[in-house]
Short mmCIF file of all heavy atoms in Angstrom, two decimals:
data_model
loop_
_atom_site.label_atom_id
_atom_site.label_comp_id
_atom_site.label_asym_id
_atom_site.label_seq_id
_atom_site.Cartn_x
_atom_site.Cartn_y
_atom_site.Cartn_z
N ASP A 32 122.99 115.46 56.55
CA ASP A 32 122.81 114.19 55.85
C ASP A 32 121.64 114.27 54.88
O ASP A 32 120.60 114.82 55.22
CB ASP A 32 122.56 113.06 56.86
CG ASP A 32 123.79 112.86 57.74
OD1 ASP A 32 124.87 113.25 57.30
OD2 ASP A 32 123.62 112.33 58.87
N ARG A 33 121.87 113.71 53.69
CA ARG A 33 120.82 113.70 52.68
C ARG A 33 120.63 112.27 52.18
O ARG A 33 121.57 111.47 52.14
CB ARG A 33 121.20 114.58 51.49
CG ARG A 33 121.31 116.06 51.86
CD ARG A 33 121.70 116.88 50.65
NE ARG A 33 121.80 118.29 50.98
CZ ARG A 33 122.22 119.20 50.09
NH1 ARG A 33 122.55 118.85 48.87
NH2 ARG A 33 122.28 120.46 50.46
N PRO A 34 119.42 111.94 51.83
CA PRO A 34 119.22 110.59 51.28
C PRO A 34 119.92 110.44 49.94
O PRO A 34 119.87 111.32 49.09
CB PRO A 34 117.69 110.50 51.14
CG PRO A 34 117.23 111.90 51.06
CD PRO A 34 118.18 112.71 51.86
N THR A 35 120.61 109.36 49.74
CA THR A 35 121.36 109.10 48.51
C THR A 35 120.73 107.94 47.76
O THR A 35 120.16 107.02 48.34
CB THR A 35 122.82 108.77 48.82
OG1 THR A 35 122.84 107.64 49.70
CG2 THR A 35 123.49 109.95 49.53
N LYS A 36 120.84 107.99 46.46
CA LYS A 36 120.31 106.93 45.62
C LYS A 36 121.32 105.79 45.54
O LYS A 36 122.49 106.01 45.26
CB LYS A 36 120.03 107.45 44.20
CG LYS A 36 118.97 108.53 44.17
CD LYS A 36 118.71 108.97 42.76
CE LYS A 36 117.63 110.05 42.70
NZ LYS A 36 117.38 110.51 41.30
N SER A 37 120.85 104.63 45.80
CA SER A 37 121.73 103.46 45.77
C SER A 37 121.80 102.92 44.34
O SER A 37 120.78 102.80 43.65
CB SER A 37 121.22 102.38 46.72
OG SER A 37 119.93 101.99 46.33
N LYS A 38 122.99 102.64 43.89
CA LYS A 38 123.20 102.08 42.55
C LYS A 38 123.35 100.58 42.66
O LYS A 38 124.35 100.08 43.15
CB LYS A 38 124.46 102.68 41.91
CG LYS A 38 124.34 104.18 41.73
CD LYS A 38 125.60 104.74 41.10
CE LYS A 38 125.50 106.24 40.88
NZ LYS A 38 126.72 106.80 40.26
N SER A 39 122.33 99.87 42.27
CA SER A 39 122.36 98.41 42.37
C SER A 39 122.56 97.80 40.99
O SER A 39 122.20 98.38 39.97
CB SER A 39 121.06 97.90 42.98
OG SER A 39 119.97 98.34 42.21
N LYS A 40 123.10 96.64 40.98
CA LYS A 40 123.34 95.92 39.73
C LYS A 40 122.03 95.35 39.20
O LYS A 40 121.10 95.09 39.95
CB LYS A 40 124.33 94.79 39.96
CG LYS A 40 125.70 95.31 40.36
CD LYS A 40 126.66 94.17 40.57
CE LYS A 40 128.05 94.67 40.95
NZ LYS A 40 129.00 93.58 41.15
N PRO A 41 121.94 95.12 37.85
CA PRO A 41 120.71 94.57 37.28
C PRO A 41 120.35 93.23 37.85
O PRO A 41 119.19 92.91 38.01
CB PRO A 41 121.04 94.49 35.79
CG PRO A 41 122.11 95.49 35.58
CD PRO A 41 122.91 95.54 36.82
N GLY A 42 121.38 92.43 38.16
CA GLY A 42 121.07 91.12 38.69
C GLY A 42 120.44 91.16 40.04
O GLY A 42 119.78 90.21 40.48
N ALA A 43 120.65 92.21 40.74
CA ALA A 43 120.12 92.30 42.10
C ALA A 43 118.66 92.64 42.10
O ALA A 43 117.98 92.48 43.11
CB ALA A 43 120.90 93.33 42.89
N ARG A 44 118.14 93.18 40.97
CA ARG A 44 116.74 93.58 40.94
C ARG A 44 115.81 92.39 41.08
O ARG A 44 114.74 92.49 41.67
CB ARG A 44 116.44 94.33 39.64
CG ARG A 44 117.20 95.63 39.52
CD ARG A 44 116.84 96.36 38.22
NE ARG A 44 117.55 97.62 38.12
CZ ARG A 44 117.10 98.76 38.61
NH1 ARG A 44 115.95 98.78 39.25
NH2 ARG A 44 117.80 99.87 38.47
N SER A 45 116.19 91.27 40.48
CA SER A 45 115.33 90.10 40.60
C SER A 45 115.22 89.63 42.03
O SER A 45 114.15 89.26 42.51
CB SER A 45 115.87 88.97 39.71
OG SER A 45 117.20 88.64 40.13
N GLY A 46 116.39 89.68 42.73
CA GLY A 46 116.36 89.28 44.15
C GLY A 46 115.49 90.22 44.96
O GLY A 46 114.79 89.81 45.88
N GLU A 47 115.56 91.52 44.61
CA GLU A 47 114.73 92.48 45.33
C GLU A 47 113.26 92.21 45.07
O GLU A 47 112.43 92.31 45.97
CB GLU A 47 115.09 93.89 44.91
CG GLU A 47 116.47 94.31 45.38
CD GLU A 47 116.81 95.71 44.90
OE1 GLU A 47 115.92 96.36 44.31
OE2 GLU A 47 117.94 96.14 45.11
N LYS A 48 112.91 91.86 43.83
CA LYS A 48 111.51 91.58 43.52
C LYS A 48 111.02 90.34 44.23
O LYS A 48 109.89 90.27 44.68
CB LYS A 48 111.34 91.42 42.00
CG LYS A 48 111.53 92.71 41.23
CD LYS A 48 111.36 92.48 39.74
CE LYS A 48 111.55 93.77 38.95
NZ LYS A 48 111.42 93.55 37.49
#
Side-chain angles (χ1 to χ4, degrees):
D32 295 338
R33 295 179 180 176
T35 57
K36 297 182 179 179
S37 59
K38 298 180 179 180
S39 57
K40 296 180 179 181
R44 296 181 179 272
S45 60
E47 291 178 6
K48 291 179 180 179

